[in-house]
Amino acid sequence: MKVVRFHEFGGPEVLRHEDAEQPAPGAGQVRVRVAGTSFNGVDANIRGGNMQGPIPVKLPHTPGIDVAGTVDALGEGVETLAVGDRVIGFLPMAEAGAAAEYVIAPAEILTAAPTTVPLADAAALPAVGLTAWQALFEHAKLTAGQRVLINGAGGAVGGYAVQLAKGAGAHVLATASPRSSARVRAAGADQIIDHTAADVTAEVTEPVDVVLNLAPVAPEQLGALLTVIRDGGTLVNTTVWMPAPSDERRGVTGIDLYVRSDADQLAQLAGQVDAGRLHIEVAERVPLAELPALHARAAEGTLPSGKVVVTVTD
């Protein structure tokens, strides 16, 4: 099979598009014929060797933590899936990823792919969709009528977070740059704050119940976001290299989010896609052979806002 992988840690140039042996599923696993995967920032950090503590990968390593494809073979004991099933999943981050024609996945992390979008495009959903879901509903306990500030709403996670929060009946404030403000408004934001031209905290004139921080802001900027949260509210932070601040005096809780695979939550997200309540936006599609160039563009900071899908097979 064709695969993109790296045999040593380093820059985008260590990625090789090459031949590899087709893997066989073990007990509790399935083999997936990959239709698509996607680019996530963590892929570059793993490739660079910066994540060996929390994500100890073995070399050579194939990136691609999102997968959308068709079940091709079953391992022993798998009864919940069948050959031919169209599935999506958030793969174990320390194992071989989906930048390959075939990938092995634990059966328990897969769920049915949405049927209303091309299968490869569904790879834009798992990791970022689960991040948004877990931040808003598992950690922040967001409910209808609450106010939420999504800081950094112009990215892929932000697009889903705005849609999910609005769908849950929340009032959504979102920060976005001019180049992404139209996308964020289309996702359902009630108020957009241009963080490139205004002080975000000054623009929030009424306290919010929840702040979701998706932006790599300075520690003092993250700390300032506490001031717009009502007493007893929550700040959920996804930039986990910078711990979430709290305000114990006012009962404001800071939570660092480490996204995890959850097939049940992913099934709910896929269901919302098929029901027309959640839109999968794909900023760009590139073939597998161009993944090294995609990593290079990410390093240069020239990727488009939103999610880039890597197409693998038809």
Side-chain angles (χ1 to χ4, degrees):
M1 68 175 183
K2 290 294 184 182
V3 60
V4 171
R5 59 185 179 179
F6 53 89
H7 296 252
E8 60 184 338
F9 297 113
E13 69 279 358
V14 302
L15 289 166
R16 303 181 192 172
H17 183 229
E18 60 189 13
D19 293 315
E21 185 177 348
Q22 192 178 106
Q29 299 177 327
V30 302
R31 185 173 63 207
V32 177
R33 185 172 187 264
V34 180
T37 184
S38 76
F39 176 80
N40 290 282
V42 70
D43 294 327
N45 284 317
I46 293 172
R47 186 209 67 232
N50 306 319
M51 303 292 288
Q52 277 296 86
I55 310 173
V57 303
K58 296 179 181 179
L59 299 177
H61 179 71
T62 304
I65 57 177
D66 291 312
V67 65
T70 305
V71 174
D72 171 74
L74 305 178
E76 182 182 354
V78 175
E79 299 178 350
T80 56
L81 294 168
V83 171
D85 284 352
R86 293 158 58 92
V87 294
I88 55 174
F90 176 25
L91 296 169
M93 298 176 76
E95 303 299 326
E101 291 180 325
Y102 295 89
V103 69
I104 299 299
E108 64 186 9
I109 66 104
L110 299 173
T111 194
T115 61
T116 53
V117 297
L119 184 56
D121 284 3
L125 179 63
V128 289
L130 286 170
T131 298
W133 180 281
Q134 290 169 19
L136 293 172
F137 305 123
E138 191 171 283
H139 294 293
K141 305 292 193 296
L142 186 71
T143 59
Q146 291 189 321
R147 291 168 53 84
V148 56
L149 170 63
I150 300 172
N151 191 46
V157 176
Y160 288 118
V162 170
Q163 291 183 74
L164 290 170
K166 191 63 181 174
H171 182 87
V172 180
L173 297 81
T175 72
S177 67
R179 75 169 186 162
S180 59
S181 60
R183 290 175 44 251
V184 174
R185 188 171 300 282
D190 296 290
Q191 178 184 343
I192 296 177
I193 301 169
D194 179 0
H195 63 87
T196 68
D199 179 349
V200 173
T201 57
E203 295 295 310
V204 182
T205 57
E206 181 181 339
V208 299
D209 301 276
V210 174
V211 166
L212 170 55
N213 180 60
L214 306 170
V217 295
E220 59 270 20
Q221 293 174 297
L222 185 61
L225 293 176
L226 287 175
T227 64
V228 305
I229 304 174
R230 66 164 179 81
D231 292 0
T234 306
L235 185 152
V236 182
N237 177 45
T238 64
T239 56
V240 293
W241 62 86
M242 180 173 51
S246 298
D247 186 339
E248 295 182 4
R249 180 181 60 84
R250 296 196 301 114
V252 177
T253 304
I255 299 170
D256 291 307
L257 170 65
Y258 297 86
V259 64
R260 71 178 198 288
S261 184
D262 189 305
D264 290 337
Q265 292 176 355
L266 190 53
Q268 293 185 62
L269 290 167
Q272 290 203 31
V273 172
D274 282 341
R277 296 193 297 270
L278 187 66
H279 174 64
I280 293 179
E281 181 180 2
V282 177
E284 185 180 350
R285 298 170 185 85
V286 301
L288 178 63
E290 294 182 16
L291 183 58
L294 180 64
H295 274 241
R297 289 167 55 201
E300 295 164 356
T302 58
L303 289 187
S305 299
K307 203 70 174 156
V308 178
V309 164
V310 179
T311 59
V312 181
T313 61
D314 293 333

